[in-house]
Amino acid sequence: MRYRTPFLLPFVLAIATPAAHAQDAARSVNFIKETRVLDPQWQAELRQRNAWRAFSAAHPRWSVEFNEASGMPHRAYGPGLPTVGATDQERAIGFISSVLAPFGVSMDGLVALPDAPSGKNTFVHFAQQRAGIPVITGHVMVKLDAQHRAISFAANYYDVENTDLQPAISPSGAIGVAQDGVGGVTSAEDHGLKILPIPGERSVDARLVYEVMVHATHGGVPARYLCWVDAHSGELLYRADQVVSHDHGDGADAGADVQLNASVSSGGPLLPLTVEGLPDLRVNVGGSFMYTDDTGFLPSGVAGPVSATFELRGRWSRVVANGVTPSFTTTLQEGSNTLSFDADANVRQLSAYFGVSAIHNHVNAVLPTFTGMDNTLTTNVDLTTGDCNAFYDGSSINFYAEGNGCRSLALVPDVVYHEYGHGINDKFYQAMGSNFSNGGMNEGYADVWALTLSLNPILAAGYMLNDPNSSIRRYDIDPKVFPVDITGEVHADGEIIAGAWWDTYLLLGEDMPLTLQLFADAFPGLQAATFNGNEGPAFRDVLVDALQADDDDGDITNGTPHGAEIVEAFAIHGITLLSNVTFSHTPVETAASEETIDISANVNITFPTSTFLSGVRAFYRLNNSNIWSSVLMTNTSGSTYAASIPAQPTGTVIGYYLALEDINGQTSSVDPIGAAQEDPNLPHFILIGMELQKTEDADMVHQLGSWTAGQPTDNATTGLWEQNVPVGSFGTPGDPSTMVQPNYQHTPGGDFCWVTGNATNESAALGENDVDGGTTTLISGNIDLTAYENPVFTYWRWYTNNPPSGANPNADWWQVYISGNGGSTWVPVEDTKSSDRSWRRNAFRVSDYVTPSAAVRLKFHASDSIRPGQNLDGGSLIEAAVDDIQLWELEENTIGIAELANAVDLNVHPDPANDRLNVTYSMGDRRPLRMEVLDLTGRTVLVPAMIAGAQRQVIDVGALTNGQYVLRLHWADGAASRRFSVVH
């Protein structure tokens, strides 16, 4: 397998005829004479250098690829490393100063660039300089995850300390060298001094250079050459045209030539209009049709004077406004003629035409054999039947006139590109005998066409007249993540796949030609030929196809040249080869006290998923803590993974979830789904040493008193709580994957549950009787818990606020409250916008929220909050259900914290204690391992330090509140406990 590591240069995409290539090659200069490939032996030697050996010894799971010229880590990545600092930039600086200093990286040679947040991760970039002179391609990066851990770094840092910074030639001399041999020069600019590290064979030759920009015109085609000239020798080291151009031949100087220009919104409404040549425009010259080139230039070959008619139509677009295509007629004189269309068409019409030509030429460059859009597309502008929108209808693209606070989107180039992109998707799939069916993929890929041409992650910046910060979508902040952000709204869902491709471009060093090569190779995979709601497999297919497109030896199991970047880019958006792995796991619901809890799962990981798997983990937390611990699950046999959660005392409630961990330290395939997100779904729950006491199952068992559906303060108009046999609600009747309200309750053998309104039948329209207009409440009567030591409630609930086709997804709350005083005050147990279209159990200790009393009450809120001005007036599609509400208590014959049989002589005094508690113990040949103080709910409130070999120690209990406690002493195979009181 061959890995290519080209020396990074400014992005250049030249589309030209063979003649133009030959002429451009004569003008181009490059210090890179051949494509470089990785030298495995040299890479191995670089890994043996002291700096990397020391780092690798401390962090053995990290990987690295070196810059073979500089010997520096080009990119290293691995499990997250803690960082210190108040901001991401401070953390990155601290990391560089400590971790990268052994490699020779000094913060004195770096200038901070703006941070690049990417959802879970943040890129913190630094540009290298010396004495204020930039080092071309000198760059250091530290990437931080959401926990501010460093998960990757790059040190493209060069030794430039011995570079002579005093130029020997003048700027004007450098300009002369730069423009020599170009021809047609119109101007040249000195951009100042820079340091250019030229890679050699395991070495770098750092030169002081002048950067010069030379502007020229060749046969009416403009050129813009970026040049680097050695400031000492005057040698031209690099020259490359930055302009996309076509060549139309030399010597066409007879006849009437015309340069046709127009003022267009080429950069969007926030930037000034620019004067551009109108490309590919059809012109009638003396009765013969001909077309301008891609710069608006037309060497007619017809002697002047001659009559010519110009219509705003060309090879790829015909602009229509109110049924008319703008045009004008004039007389061309012999020789050069420069004309403008500005007086005969408005800027919206001209900008739309210009944008269509740009995106058409773009797609032809990306998909050169695709001809499905090689026709004149009707481009309707200034439509008055609506506003704030644009659309593609299969045969035309359409833009509404300005109105309702919105500009005409014909003025926004990337919207023009997006709408034309729908046509590309449509016609390409049709040409392959298929259909671009998936709405999210269609919207996402239309954005990809726009992003890859505009190179701007902000779609439709400034499209609102009075809000320069407005945009339709952004790909530079808050990335959408699968499956958390799947809503069923196609534009939002499309942001996931579009964002993955945009981040691929960024992580490939902003190498758009390479990104487009991967995209073009994956595009024919027909991943979008699937129904809405099946985005997960489609997204993962795209990732596999992208990796295969990047592969160069037919075996992606041994990696691909840019596989790490591609996997990382897609993983930012939750698309990984692990995300299609599902756990086969039977949740543990109860367990004995003081015994480890065994957790097992079957994880079937097949090729090539296993390439990117780091491990399987079980995450757990105790009671109502928000701190998660984790244990690594081991592969015990075949596909079985197992782990043990540490033993816990009676009365503990454990929440846990399982997750895969990939090579970048990210988790995926979480079970239950969504349990690891910021606003988490419910995890699985284990009750330790508990026995079931009472149940409300909505069928025949009503041991928890009366329940009331509705309260005077409720304001929901439909979808009110009722005790009934649930009638399922489906996006597609009969398709269980589209179920919104369940068609089954939870109780084994039961029929009824509490639901937020039933539809008339399962074929009724989605949301026929969902919660609308406000809140509906299900509330219990008073539940007497005075006889219970440590009561625990569990209940099973179903809740969704984001079904496919629902408006304003993930915007409304599911809320559960408990009261200890008959409803005078309430404490939230659940307050979440995270939905789960399945029966999910919650469990909680009463004492973690209120004091158990004779008047404990529960209530369940399902709400449709109204947000005026948003889609459907801010309403959402809300469905909820509750079943099997149960009360649990400590196992029989236990009171508070279980008194374990004393195997040692353990004593505490005084009792009650004030500030100090004296502890004495005689353990024989046993060795104490841990001492802790617990309250009577089983919560650990103090962990005193153990004194090795001591038989007596004093514990400071001054910080404990008045009440009863238990001192517990643990050893290898047992424990002993003593109660005591604290009275201050």
Side-chain angles (χ1 to χ4, degrees):
M1 176 170 51
R2 302 176 66 199
Y3 289 81
R4 299 191 175 193
T5 52
F7 189 73
L8 298 179
L9 297 174
F11 165 59
V12 180
L13 175 58
I15 308 170
T17 63
H21 279 303
Q23 293 169 6
D24 187 63
R27 301 184 183 105
S28 298
V29 176
N30 197 341
F31 50 81
I32 302 296
K33 305 305 179 185
E34 61 182 10
T35 301
R36 292 182 174 271
V37 297
L38 282 185
D39 182 338
Q41 181 177 351
W42 182 231
Q43 289 283 328
E45 291 182 36
L46 290 170
R47 287 194 292 270
Q48 293 303 312
R49 290 185 173 180
N50 290 340
W52 180 256
R53 287 183 64 186
F55 180 87
S56 183
H59 313 290
R61 295 175 59 196
W62 275 62
S63 300
V64 66
E65 177 183 314
F66 285 92
N67 181 319
E68 293 182 359
S70 68
M72 300 290 288
H74 167 72
R75 172 61 67 91
Y77 57 91
L81 305 178
T83 61
V84 178
T87 66
D88 287 336
Q89 192 171 101
E90 288 181 7
R91 296 181 185 100
I93 290 172
F95 184 90
I96 293 169
S97 300
S98 60
V99 175
L100 298 187
F103 293 94
V105 178
S106 170
M107 284 303 306
D108 293 337
L110 297 177
V111 175
L113 300 177
D115 291 353
S118 56
K120 296 178 182 177
N121 306 324
T122 299
F123 291 85
V124 186
H125 295 284
F126 300 85
Q128 186 182 2
Q129 68 171 25
R130 180 184 165 209
I133 299 176
V135 178
I136 298 169
T137 73
H139 169 247
V140 173
M141 178 274 292
V142 178
K143 183 165 62 174
L144 306 173
D145 66 7
Q147 287 74 44
H148 309 301
R149 297 172 300 189
I151 59 175
S152 180
F153 67 84
N156 292 302
Y157 189 90
Y158 298 92
D159 182 3
V160 296
E161 290 305 309
N162 295 324
T163 304
D164 185 353
L165 302 184
Q166 296 300 318
I169 65 172
S170 65
S172 60
I175 289 175
V177 171
Q179 65 187 15
D180 183 40
V182 171
V185 174
T186 58
S187 64
E189 308 157 3
D190 168 33
H191 287 183
L193 290 170
K194 297 188 177 181
I195 299 173
L196 174 64
I198 299 177
E201 186 67 27
R202 305 184 181 185
S203 64
V204 172
D205 181 12
R207 308 275 192 98
L208 184 70
V209 298
Y210 283 102
E211 183 172 279
V212 177
M213 190 68 71
V214 176
H215 301 268
T217 302
H218 306 300
V221 179
R224 191 163 53 93
Y225 292 97
L226 174 67
C227 309
W228 292 322
V229 178
D230 191 306
H232 293 109
S233 68
E235 178 186 4
L236 178 61
L237 299 173
Y238 182 82
R239 182 166 65 197
D241 189 4
Q242 307 296 286
V243 174
V244 176
S245 64
H246 277 288
D247 178 65
H248 288 273
D250 296 325
D253 55 356
D257 297 342
V258 61
Q259 176 64 45
L260 181 62
N261 298 327
S263 299
V264 301
S265 176
S266 62
L270 298 181
L271 298 177
L273 300 180
T274 61
V275 176
E276 306 287 346
L278 289 182
D280 304 309
L281 193 84
R282 192 176 78 169
V283 184
N284 186 330
V285 181
S288 299
F289 287 108
M290 50 191 71
Y291 292 86
T292 61
D293 67 8
D294 61 356
T295 68
F297 179 71
L298 173 64
S300 72
V302 179
V306 61
S307 177
T309 298
F310 299 80
E311 287 185 286
L312 198 54
R313 66 173 295 170
R315 299 182 191 275
W316 321 127
S317 174
R318 179 173 69 92
V319 173
V320 177
N322 297 318
V324 177
T325 296
S327 65
F328 71 93
T329 300
T330 190
T331 299
L332 301 180
Q333 302 299 322
E334 179 70 13
S336 298
N337 296 264
T338 300
L339 304 176
S340 174
F341 220 126
D342 287 1
D344 299 283
N346 63 42
V347 67
R348 299 176 298 281
Q349 298 159 2
L350 295 168
S351 297
Y353 177 88
F354 186 77
V356 169
S357 289
I359 184 61
H360 175 272
N361 292 337
H362 179 61
V363 68
N364 271 14
V366 176
L367 303 171
T369 63
F370 171 56
T371 60
M373 294 295 285
D374 286 351
N375 52 62
T376 302
L377 183 70
T378 299
T379 306
N380 293 308
V381 180
D382 292 336
L383 298 175
T384 58
T385 53
D387 52 57
C388 294
N389 205 354
F391 62 91
Y392 166 76
D393 64 5
S395 60
S396 66
I397 56 174
N398 305 267
F399 303 90
Y400 291 118
E402 179 180 300
N404 198 25
C406 295
R407 306 178 194 272
S408 167
L409 295 180
L411 292 172
V412 185
D414 39 15
V415 173
V416 178
Y417 306 156
H418 173 96
E419 298 307 331
Y420 194 90
H422 282 306
I424 299 168
N425 297 340
D426 180 30
K427 302 305 182 185
F428 189 95
Y429 267 51
Q430 285 187 24
M432 299 185 68
S434 185
N435 291 290
F436 212 103
S437 306
N438 188 269
M441 287 284 293
N442 205 340
E443 294 297 338
Y445 268 35
D447 273 4
V448 171
W449 288 114
L451 293 168
T452 56
L453 179 54
S454 70
L455 301 183
N456 186 347
I458 304 175
L459 187 70
Y463 79 100
M464 298 294 292
L465 286 167
N466 297 317
D467 185 1
N469 295 318
S470 61
S471 62
I472 293 177
R473 283 182 289 281
R474 294 188 64 158
Y475 290 96
D476 59 338
I477 58 174
D478 302 330
K480 295 293 180 70
V481 178
F482 178 85
V484 175
D485 292 318
I486 283 286
T487 68
E489 200 289 312
V490 294
H491 294 85
D493 292 350
E495 290 183 60
I496 298 173
I497 190 64
W501 279 111
W502 176 255
D503 285 318
T504 296
Y505 158 69
L506 294 180
L507 292 175
L508 290 174
E510 300 186 15
D511 188 339
M512 186 53 72
L514 176 57
T515 304
L516 287 171
Q517 173 195 326
L518 301 176
F519 180 73
D521 287 348
F523 194 60
L526 300 182
Q527 305 92 346
T530 187
F531 50 84
N532 289 347
N534 204 36
E535 288 78 18
F539 292 166
R540 290 190 292 272
D541 287 347
V542 172
L543 173 55
V544 172
D545 287 336
L547 287 169
Q548 290 174 330
D550 187 54
D551 187 42
D552 59 2
D553 68 350
D555 183 4
I556 63 173
T557 63
N558 59 10
T560 71
H562 309 91
E565 293 85 352
I566 297 167
V567 168
E568 182 179 349
F570 278 72
I572 289 172
H573 299 271
I575 307 169
T576 76
L577 297 181
L578 300 179
S579 60
N580 64 341
V581 177
T582 57
F583 288 93
S584 174
H585 170 63
T586 301
V588 178
E589 296 185 3
T590 59
S593 61
E594 301 300 343
E595 295 181 7
T596 58
I597 303 117
D598 293 331
I599 303 290
S600 66
N602 287 323
V603 186
N604 293 311
I605 303 178
T606 58
F607 165 83
T609 301
S610 55
T611 306
F612 305 100
L613 177 66
S614 174
V616 183
R617 285 191 173 273
F619 293 80
Y620 68 95
R621 63 174 171 81
L622 305 181
N623 303 317
N624 65 338
S625 171
N626 59 4
I627 299 174
W628 291 88
S629 302
S630 71
V631 290
L632 184 66
M633 302 182 74
T634 57
N635 186 205
T636 56
S637 64
S639 61
T640 301
Y641 286 75
S644 294
I645 295 176
Q648 302 298 328
T650 298
T652 303
V653 175
I654 301 175
Y656 76 96
Y657 65 87
L658 309 180
L660 302 186
E661 186 176 63
D662 68 20
I663 57 175
N664 291 315
Q666 302 299 318
T667 57
S668 63
S669 296
V670 174
D671 179 13
I673 294 174
Q677 64 193 38
E678 185 174 349
D679 179 15
N681 187 18
L682 292 175
H684 299 301
F685 287 98
I686 308 173
L687 308 185
I688 304 299
M690 308 294 289
E691 289 184 339
L692 179 61
Q693 305 295 311
K694 296 182 178 182
T695 295
E696 166 60 61
D697 66 4
D699 287 292
M700 298 298 293
V701 182
H702 309 290
Q703 299 169 332
L704 290 173
S706 62
W707 290 79
T708 303
Q711 289 290 288
T713 55
D714 286 354
N715 55 354
T717 56
T718 62
L720 309 182
W721 284 108
E722 61 182 72
Q723 185 181 359
N724 211 333
V725 177
V727 175
S729 182
F730 297 85
T732 301
D735 181 355
S737 69
T738 67
M739 184 185 294
V740 177
Q741 177 169 294
N743 64 353
Y744 61 98
Q745 49 83 67
H746 181 266
T747 310
D751 295 302
F752 290 81
C753 66
W754 294 94
V755 295
T756 52
N758 270 333
T760 53
N761 57 70
E762 292 191 352
S763 297
L766 190 68
E768 180 187 78
N769 195 16
D770 75 312
V771 181
D772 277 335
T775 298
T776 181
T777 304
L778 173 65
I779 189 169
S780 74
N782 288 340
I783 303 172
D784 186 355
L785 300 182
T786 55
Y788 294 88
E789 189 78 18
N790 186 13
V792 169
F793 276 118
T794 64
Y795 57 85
W796 291 83
R797 55 90 156 164
W798 176 297
Y799 174 66
T800 183
N801 62 7
N802 61 358
S805 77
N808 302 298
N810 300 307
D812 289 286
W813 284 265
W814 164 256
Q815 296 166 310
V816 180
Y817 294 89
I818 189 170
S819 173
N821 52 22
S824 297
T825 58
W826 295 92
V827 178
V829 174
E830 273 196 90
D831 192 357
T832 181
K833 292 187 283 186
S834 178
S835 67
D836 189 338
R837 287 186 287 162
S838 68
W839 285 105
R840 181 71 56 202
R841 185 177 79 145
N842 193 16
F844 65 95
R845 301 190 308 179
V846 172
S847 59
D848 284 335
Y849 298 91
V850 298
T851 300
S853 70
V856 172
R857 305 185 78 180
L858 297 174
K859 69 175 178 178
F860 302 89
H861 280 315
S863 301
D864 177 38
S865 59
I866 300 301
R867 294 169 296 282
Q870 295 192 23
N871 185 26
L872 300 181
D873 292 327
S876 303
L877 206 163
I878 307 297
E879 298 281 12
V882 172
D883 204 359
D884 291 333
I885 306 164
Q886 296 180 323
L887 174 65
W888 301 72
E889 171 61 319
L890 304 177
E891 289 177 329
E892 188 177 2
N893 299 325
T894 61
I895 300 176
I897 300 297
E899 292 281 3
L900 301 182
N902 277 321
V904 297
D905 184 12
L906 174 63
N907 295 286
V908 297
H909 67 279
D911 185 13
N914 183 358
D915 295 324
R916 304 284 180 177
L917 181 71
N918 296 295
V919 182
T920 60
Y921 46 93
S922 174
M923 305 200 56
D925 58 357
R926 297 178 178 87
R927 293 293 179 265
L929 297 177
R930 180 167 57 94
M931 184 182 292
E932 60 182 345
V933 176
L934 304 97
D935 63 18
L936 291 190
T937 69
R939 182 171 61 96
T940 299
V941 295
L942 181 63
V943 180
M946 294 292 297
I947 301 175
Q951 299 290 310
R952 176 184 181 277
Q953 65 183 86
V954 179
I955 300 174
D956 185 356
V957 295
L960 299 180
T961 59
N962 290 349
Q964 288 192 324
Y965 296 87
V966 173
L967 176 82
R968 175 169 292 168
L969 181 66
H970 295 264
W971 59 94
D973 56 354
S977 300
R978 278 288 179 265
R979 290 196 185 204
F980 67 97
S981 298
V982 172
V983 177
H984 296 300

